[in-house]
């Protein structure tokens, strides 16, 4: 009888819950108030920072737009306007491959961000104690992960698609369809990533690190297979007509009709096509069909997400947080002992802080899985880059090799800047919540920042150096170029680490627990933009003088206009400029970070 009463009471409580519509209205009011409060705080207390970030983002968008405009103008000049024989095939190949890549990235990023919002957030812990449906909590956190994971997609895709529309003189409905197509497309992979996250945590809470590692390894293997097949050319010249035909056939899987990326590409191509004199040919109607397909699938996965969230979230949350703790070992792990010996020149407290950060990095599958995926793919690319040289036997091969080697160096730097923004910049903000622990230790506050800086600089230098030297060996550049590249790589690691640590201490966010959201904020965006500018300036300061100097030496060309001595002086000044620029972007943010961190009260 008592059990029946408790069951009836429970059912009565369920019936008294607000309706789905009322619950949704309450959460939207909460989100609107939070957004308004954050914007008011930014424009009242951080006007300079906000205006700087917005200005740099606009400049970055315009730069991408110009780049895509020139690229599509070249393509249209080669294959013709929409309606030509090869235009649809060429542009569809570019669109489907581009959106397929972004589709996979959206799946991973949304799942990772949702994991932090649902299972490692104090706000979510509070929401679980309130009479709120589990599906509503999942939807509330999913909306945040959707925004933070897809803003990069809109930043990259919007200038490309607008530039394409201008180049091909697309009709007005192309731009009218554009927002709906992009939003509905981004919603589908983000919901898929969220569903995978919920199922993964509910089924294998104890093995999630192993599962994430296996998935990352599978992605690297699949990418390696694709790269190998694409570059495995025996009878066709690289970048020739036969090579393009073979590559087009090998990536045919990206144009499968069941993929959302294909729906988006076809919808854009149909909307950009002009109407013909055929009464049955209505491009705006065909594009509208693809928009309806994307919207209907987005709503379908939305319903599936709510159902899976209501079914699995609470049980997976309790299963993850109630698992049996492992028995702690007082002795230091072997990899930590090796790290300690490598840092023997540093003070003891700095060694321990670096070892602590390194241990946290190893224990976080989000960090090392992304590190494995991106650097693994770069290593596969560099390992196969010699195939390009095998098919280039003309007189310009030396100039081509020098250009590609510096482009590879810039790519490594840009990848490193994303990691310093994503993982190093939020370290100070995350440390602030447990700063009371560090405050009781017999160490100075400056030692904490020095530990973060040395951990980032030393930890990033080794993989970047290996990637750069692998690229140089495959391209068979001279030993002098290898030394210069390693020097630039070291400067990039020092500058990017100092910038991320310094700006992270100047602009901390102690209210947010998710590293992804901290990195996606104004401070993280500013750090990413400034890092990209620093990388481009560093590479340009050395690429041009190095290119002309070694071209002149190896080709034995001595010109009266630019003597060899002037080229050597130009190269030396470029290297000195890199040192000065690195010192500027390292010392200025770190000094500002030291001052801000000493005044910090938490």
């Amino acid at each position: 009888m008592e059990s029946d009463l408790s069951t009836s009471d429970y059912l009565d409580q369920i019936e008294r819950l607000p309706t789905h519509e009322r619950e949704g209205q309450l959460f939207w009011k909460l989100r609107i108030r939070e957004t308004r409060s954050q914007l008011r705080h930014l424009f009242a207390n951080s006007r300079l920072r906000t205006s700087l970030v917005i200005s740099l983002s606009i400049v970055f968008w315009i730069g991408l737009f110009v780049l895509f405009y020139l690229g599509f103008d070249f393509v249209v000049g080669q294959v013709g306007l929409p309606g030509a024989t090869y235009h649809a095939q060429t542009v569809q190949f570019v669109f489907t491959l581009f959106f397929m890549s972004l589709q996979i990235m959206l799946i991973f990023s949304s799942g990772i961000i949702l994991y932090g919002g649902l299972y490692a957030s104090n706000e979510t812990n509070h929401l679980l104690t309130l009479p709120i449906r589990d599906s509503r909590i999942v939807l509330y956190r999913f909306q945040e992960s959707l925004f933070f994971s897809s803003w990069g997609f809109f930043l990259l895709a919007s200038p490309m698609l607008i530039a394409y529309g201008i180049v091909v003189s697309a009709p007005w409905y192309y731009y009218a369809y554009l927002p709906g197509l992009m939003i509905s497309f981004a919603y589908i992979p983000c919901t898929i990533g969220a569903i995978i996250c919920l199922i993964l945590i509910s089924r294998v809470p104890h093995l999630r690190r192993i599962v994430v590692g296996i998935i990352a390894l599978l992605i690297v293997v699949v990418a390696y297979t694709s790269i190998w097949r694409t570059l495995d050319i025996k009878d066709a010249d690289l970048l020739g007509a036969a090579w393009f035909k073979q590559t087009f056939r090998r990536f045919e899987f990206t144009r499968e009709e069941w993929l959302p990326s294909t729906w988006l590409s076809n919808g854009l191509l149909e909307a950009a096509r002009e109407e013909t004199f055929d009464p049955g040919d209505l491009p705006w109607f065909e594009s509208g069909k693809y928009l309806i397909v994307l919207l209907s699938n987005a709503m379908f996965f939305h319903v599936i997400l709510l159902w899976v969230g209501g079914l699995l979230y609470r049980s997976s949350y309790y299963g993850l947080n109630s698992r049996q703790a492992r028995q702690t070992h007082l002795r230091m792990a072997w990899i930590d002992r090796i790290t300690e010996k490598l840092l023997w020149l540093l003070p003891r407290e700095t060694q321990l802080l670096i070892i602590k950060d390194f241990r946290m990095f190893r224990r976080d599958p989000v960090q090392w899985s992304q590190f494995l995926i991106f650097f693994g793919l770069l290593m596969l690319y560099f390992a196969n880059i010699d195939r390009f040289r095998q098919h280039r036997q003309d007189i310009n091969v030396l100039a081509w090799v020098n250009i590609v080697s510096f482009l590879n160096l810039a790519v490594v730097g840009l990848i490193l800047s994303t990691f310093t923004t994503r993982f190093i910049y939020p370290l100070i903000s995350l440390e602030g919540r447990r700063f009371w622990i560090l405050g009781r230790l017999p160490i100075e506050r400056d030692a904490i920042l020095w530990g973060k800086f040395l951990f980032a600089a030393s930890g990033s230098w080794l993989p970047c150096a290996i990637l750069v030297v692998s690229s140089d060996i495959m391209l068979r550049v001279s030993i002098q170029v290898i030394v210069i590249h390693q020097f630039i790589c070291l400067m990039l690691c020092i500058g990017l680490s100092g910038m991320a640590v310094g700006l992270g201490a100047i602009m901390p966010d102690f209210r947010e627990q998710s590293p992804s959201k901290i990195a996606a904020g104004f401070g993280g965006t500013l750090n990413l933009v400034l890092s990209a500018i620093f990388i481009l300036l560093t590479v340009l300061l050395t690429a041009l003088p190095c290119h002309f100097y070694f071209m002149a030496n190896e080709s034995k060309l001595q010109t009266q206009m630019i003597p060899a001595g002037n080229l050597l002086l130009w190269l030396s000044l470029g290297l000195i400029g890199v040192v000065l620029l690195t010192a500027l972007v390292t010392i200025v943010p770190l000094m500002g970070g030291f001052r801000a961190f000493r005044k910090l009260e938490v």
Side-chain angles (χ1 to χ4, degrees):
M1 185 66 179
E2 184 177 356
S3 176
D4 295 338
L5 288 176
S6 61
T7 302
S8 62
D9 292 341
Y10 175 75
L11 294 176
D12 291 339
Q13 293 294 331
I14 293 296
E15 293 178 356
R16 294 176 184 175
L17 288 174
T19 62
H20 286 281
E21 293 78 10
R22 179 57 180 166
E23 204 173 53
Q25 292 174 2
L26 293 174
F27 272 88
W28 274 112
K29 287 183 179 180
L30 173 63
R31 188 173 301 283
I32 291 174
R33 288 186 179 181
E34 288 182 345
T35 304
R36 189 181 302 166
S37 177
Q38 292 175 359
L39 292 177
R40 188 183 300 114
H41 174 75
L42 285 174
F43 286 103
N45 302 321
S46 307
R47 292 180 182 177
L48 178 61
R49 183 198 314 172
T50 304
S51 59
L52 180 61
V53 171
I54 294 175
S55 302
L56 291 175
S57 300
I58 294 174
V59 171
F60 183 71
W61 191 95
I62 294 174
L64 287 177
F65 172 80
V66 173
L67 180 64
F68 285 124
Y69 182 87
L70 295 175
F72 282 121
D73 185 63
F74 172 78
V75 171
V76 169
Q78 298 296 319
V79 301
L81 291 169
T85 305
Y86 296 106
H87 180 92
Q89 294 181 350
T90 304
V91 178
Q92 186 187 40
F93 173 74
V94 174
F95 278 3
T96 53
L97 190 60
F98 176 76
F99 292 126
M100 181 69 176
S101 304
L102 292 179
Q103 184 174 264
I104 297 175
M105 295 179 64
L106 285 173
I107 291 175
F108 272 89
S109 61
S110 64
I112 291 171
I113 296 175
L114 183 66
Y115 170 80
L118 284 179
Y119 298 97
S121 172
N122 289 334
E123 183 182 2
T124 306
N125 299 341
H126 174 67
L127 291 176
L128 285 170
T129 64
L130 301 177
I132 303 172
R133 294 177 178 86
D134 297 341
S135 58
R136 181 61 58 182
I137 298 176
V138 173
L139 180 60
Y140 175 69
R141 285 305 186 186
F142 168 73
Q143 291 169 349
E144 293 182 355
S145 68
L146 175 66
F147 173 78
F148 286 106
S149 60
S150 60
W151 71 269
F153 163 72
F154 289 102
L155 182 64
L156 291 175
S158 57
M160 183 184 79
L161 298 180
I162 293 176
Y164 174 73
I166 295 175
V167 169
V168 301
S169 301
W172 65 268
Y173 49 81
Y174 170 84
Y175 304 99
Y177 278 135
L178 199 56
L181 289 170
M182 293 176 64
I183 294 173
S184 55
F185 166 77
Y187 202 89
I188 295 175
C190 287
T191 50
I192 293 175
I195 294 171
I196 294 175
C197 172
L198 290 169
I199 296 176
L200 181 64
I201 299 302
S202 65
R203 298 304 177 191
V204 283
H206 301 286
L207 302 177
R208 65 187 188 281
R209 297 180 183 177
I210 299 176
V211 173
V212 171
I214 292 175
I215 294 174
L217 183 61
L218 288 176
I219 292 176
V220 173
V221 171
V222 172
Y224 176 80
T225 305
S226 301
I227 294 174
W228 184 271
R229 288 181 178 179
T230 303
L231 302 180
D232 188 15
I233 305 168
K234 297 181 175 61
D235 301 327
D237 292 332
L238 186 68
L239 302 180
W243 180 83
F244 275 111
K245 291 181 180 179
Q246 293 182 19
T247 304
F248 187 82
R249 288 196 301 268
R250 285 169 177 167
F251 283 94
E252 191 173 3
F253 67 93
T254 63
R255 300 184 295 279
E256 295 291 339
E257 291 297 330
W258 56 272
L259 291 173
S261 54
T262 303
W263 304 336
L264 176 61
S265 302
N266 292 340
L268 292 170
L269 291 174
E270 289 293 337
R273 185 169 58 88
E274 293 185 357
E275 298 183 13
T276 61
F277 295 102
D278 187 0
D281 184 21
L282 300 174
W284 63 268
F285 184 71
E286 296 297 327
S287 181
K289 290 181 180 179
Y290 287 106
L291 176 60
I292 293 175
V293 171
L294 286 169
L295 285 174
S296 59
N297 279 271
M299 290 186 290
F300 170 75
F301 282 107
H302 175 83
V303 174
I304 296 297
L305 174 63
L306 294 182
W307 177 73
V308 173
L311 184 65
L312 300 179
Y313 172 57
R314 191 172 292 266
S315 60
S316 63
Y317 177 86
Y318 290 148
L320 182 64
N321 290 277
S322 62
R323 67 188 188 277
Q324 185 177 1
R326 295 181 180 180
Q327 184 178 0
T328 58
H329 299 282
L330 297 179
R331 55 193 177 91
M332 187 179 293
W334 63 270
I335 193 170
D336 292 333
R337 292 196 297 270
I338 295 176
T339 305
E340 183 181 17
K341 292 181 180 179
L342 293 175
L343 303 174
W344 62 276
L345 287 174
L346 301 177
R348 179 60 179 172
E349 57 271 15
T350 306
Q351 294 180 16
L352 295 177
L353 290 172
I354 294 176
I355 292 173
K356 176 186 73 69
D357 291 331
F358 182 45
R359 186 176 298 175
M360 293 180 64
F361 173 81
R362 301 198 314 268
R363 292 177 177 177
D364 189 355
V366 173
Q367 298 190 37
W368 58 258
S369 63
Q370 294 186 27
F371 183 88
L372 176 64
I373 291 173
F374 284 100
F375 280 92
L377 293 177
L378 278 179
M379 179 58 75
L380 293 177
Y381 161 67
F382 291 154
N384 291 275
I385 199 172
D386 186 48
R387 293 173 175 266
F388 287 102
R389 178 165 185 150
Q390 292 175 1
H391 299 276
R392 294 188 63 92
Q393 303 296 334
D394 53 6
I395 59 175
N396 295 322
V397 64
L398 179 61
W400 181 86
V401 166
N402 284 333
I403 293 173
V404 170
S405 65
F406 276 97
L407 287 177
N408 291 339
L409 181 63
V411 168
V412 172
L414 291 173
I415 293 295
L416 178 60
S417 67
T418 62
F419 276 95
T420 55
T421 301
R422 171 62 178 80
F423 300 117
I424 304 302
Y425 175 82
L427 283 180
I428 301 301
S429 300
L430 298 176
E431 204 76 79
R433 289 188 172 271
R434 49 183 177 267
F435 189 76
W436 63 273
I437 301 177
L438 298 176
R440 293 179 177 271
L441 298 178
I443 57 175
E444 297 182 358
R445 292 194 177 187
D446 290 358
I448 299 175
L449 288 187
W450 281 118
K452 306 292 183 188
F453 168 71
L454 294 175
F455 165 72
S458 59
S460 60
W461 173 78
L462 183 59
C464 291
I466 293 175
L467 287 174
V468 172
V469 76
S470 300
S471 169
D472 292 341
I473 292 174
M474 290 301 170
L475 290 173
R476 303 173 194 172
V477 301
S478 61
I479 187 64
Q480 294 90 343
V481 176
I482 294 178
V483 173
I484 292 175
H485 285 177
Q486 290 299 313
F487 173 76
I488 299 173
C489 181
L490 178 62
M491 294 295 102
L492 289 177
C493 293
I494 293 174
L496 293 175
S497 300
M499 191 184 304
V501 173
L503 292 178
I506 295 173
M507 297 178 287
D509 184 4
F510 300 124
R511 295 176 297 177
E512 184 58 60
Q513 286 185 322
S514 174
S516 302
K517 295 178 183 179
I518 297 174
F522 285 102
T525 306
L526 175 63
N527 180 79
L528 184 62
V529 173
L530 293 179
S531 298
I533 295 174
F534 166 64
I535 293 167
L536 294 178
L537 290 177
T538 301
V539 174
L540 288 177
L541 282 173
T542 53
L544 292 178
C546 184
H547 174 75
F548 288 112
Y549 176 74
F550 287 104
M551 281 286 294
N553 286 343
E554 297 194 25
S555 60
K556 307 300 182 183
L557 295 178
Q558 300 293 333
T559 63
Q560 296 181 354
M561 296 180 61
I562 308 179
N566 292 349
L567 290 175
L568 181 60
L569 177 62
W570 188 15
L571 176 59
S572 302
L573 293 177
L575 294 176
I576 294 173
V578 169
V579 175
L580 296 177
L581 180 62
T582 303
L584 177 67
V585 301
T586 304
I587 295 175
V588 173
L590 277 180
M591 292 299 103
F594 285 142
R595 289 192 297 268
F597 204 54
R598 295 186 193 119
K599 300 176 182 178
L600 180 63
E601 295 182 2
V602 291

